[in-house]
Amino acid sequence: MSTEEQDIPSKFYGYPQPRQGPETPPYTVPSGSNPVLRGLPLAVVGTIASKLGLIGSLLWSNTGFEALREIQELEDYEPIYDPTVIKLSTRKDVNVDNHERAEESGFEDQEVSNGHYSAAYYTSAYKAGRLSPTQVATSLLDHISANKHHKVAFLQIRRDKVLDAATASTKRYQRGNPLSLLDGVPVAVKDETDLEGYEKTLGSSVDFTRKDDGTTWCVKKWEEAGAIVVGKLNMHEIGL
């Protein structure tokens, strides 16, 4: 492993440690594999499978994909979801397992030269008392609603939920116990993710909202870290 590769974990907070993969036997194609189809036959079979659930289930089972679930060695591995890491400074002495040293070693205030504020800028300003999450959230909401170019980027904004999250974050900073490096940092999510209290349309006129009104795992982790979800962003219809 090169020196550059060895230094990668020191540049990120929460960087996962490499693990040896399981020893598994070579994969063999099941004898009952589906025939190879192309062109018109593929279109015909695909149409039939989409209309008749039983045919689709039979074809799926016949591919052998379900065999992946039977690999016992994978049961010992925790799934990894995004976002997984936070980029820090380029200093080599960062201890990525220590929250406070991560802050001291690069997550610090910095001048904004390109018009974009970083998470470091927000958290530093909050701790210094120059800004509060409530001020930032209110300013963003007012700016979005007043600017048609920004407003069209959002499909839905729940001002009440945004301000509730911002108020809670402001109180944590006042007590001196923010949840994480992302506490009070404004973020937004595409309409392809689930977000409690919001509709999900995938940028279309169809309602894809979950019946349990849940939140996608990665977005939930943002919220648990204190990030303020400003709203649902627009997207190409059905993601196409």
Side-chain angles (χ1 to χ4, degrees):
M1 181 181 294
S2 67
T3 302
E4 182 177 354
E5 290 175 328
Q6 292 175 343
D7 189 44
I8 287 178
S10 68
K11 299 178 181 178
F12 298 91
Y13 175 76
Y15 194 90
Q17 295 299 316
R19 296 178 59 187
Q20 178 67 39
E23 295 292 336
T24 58
Y27 178 76
T28 56
V29 180
S31 58
S33 296
N34 295 321
V36 178
L37 299 176
R38 299 182 179 86
L40 182 59
L42 176 60
V44 172
V45 173
T47 301
I48 295 174
S50 65
K51 302 296 183 181
L52 302 177
L54 180 62
I55 300 297
S57 298
L58 178 62
L59 292 174
W60 169 265
S61 177
N62 201 34
T63 59
F65 287 150
E66 293 182 352
L68 295 175
R69 300 176 180 175
E70 300 173 2
I71 301 178
Q72 295 300 318
E73 292 83 357
L74 297 180
E75 295 295 328
D76 298 329
Y77 280 78
E78 289 290 333
I80 296 178
Y81 302 93
D82 291 325
T84 55
V85 297
I86 300 173
K87 189 174 182 359
L88 298 173
S89 72
T90 56
R91 285 177 53 181
K92 297 182 179 181
D93 60 342
V94 179
N95 182 349
V96 297
D97 295 322
N98 188 297
H99 177 104
E100 296 173 357
R101 284 199 59 192
E103 289 179 317
E104 297 171 356
S105 57
F107 225 74
E108 56 188 16
D109 194 5
Q110 50 189 278
E111 292 296 327
V112 179
S113 59
N114 61 359
H116 299 283
Y117 296 97
S118 66
Y121 179 88
Y122 284 115
T123 54
S124 179
Y126 296 156
K127 290 180 179 180
R130 297 193 306 274
L131 286 173
S132 74
T134 300
Q135 289 175 312
V136 170
T138 302
S139 177
L140 283 174
L141 292 172
D142 292 344
H143 187 63
I144 292 170
S145 63
N147 188 306
K148 64 178 183 179
H149 298 294
H150 296 317
K151 191 174 183 179
V152 74
F154 286 85
L155 284 178
Q156 189 180 6
I157 294 178
R158 286 282 306 276
R159 188 182 183 93
D160 57 333
K161 291 178 66 67
V162 176
L163 293 180
D164 284 347
T167 300
S169 179
T170 297
K171 292 179 179 179
R172 289 192 292 270
Y173 276 101
Q174 290 173 344
R175 295 193 300 264
N177 60 345
L179 294 175
S180 74
L181 304 175
L182 295 176
D183 202 343
V185 176
V187 298
V189 298
K190 285 177 64 176
D191 193 35
E192 65 182 352
T193 57
D194 297 299
L195 184 59
E196 183 179 350
Y198 286 79
E199 297 177 354
K200 177 181 176 182
T201 65
L202 298 178
S204 71
S205 59
V206 182
D207 186 6
F208 292 98
T209 308
R210 284 169 49 171
K211 293 182 179 180
D212 63 353
D213 193 27
T215 298
T216 300
W217 188 91
C218 58
V219 181
K220 186 182 293 292
K221 291 301 165 184
W222 260 353
E223 293 179 329
E224 291 176 359
I228 301 172
V229 182
V230 178
K232 299 286 287 288
L233 291 169
N234 213 331
M235 59 180 289
H236 290 293
E237 188 172 7
I238 315 297
L240 301 178

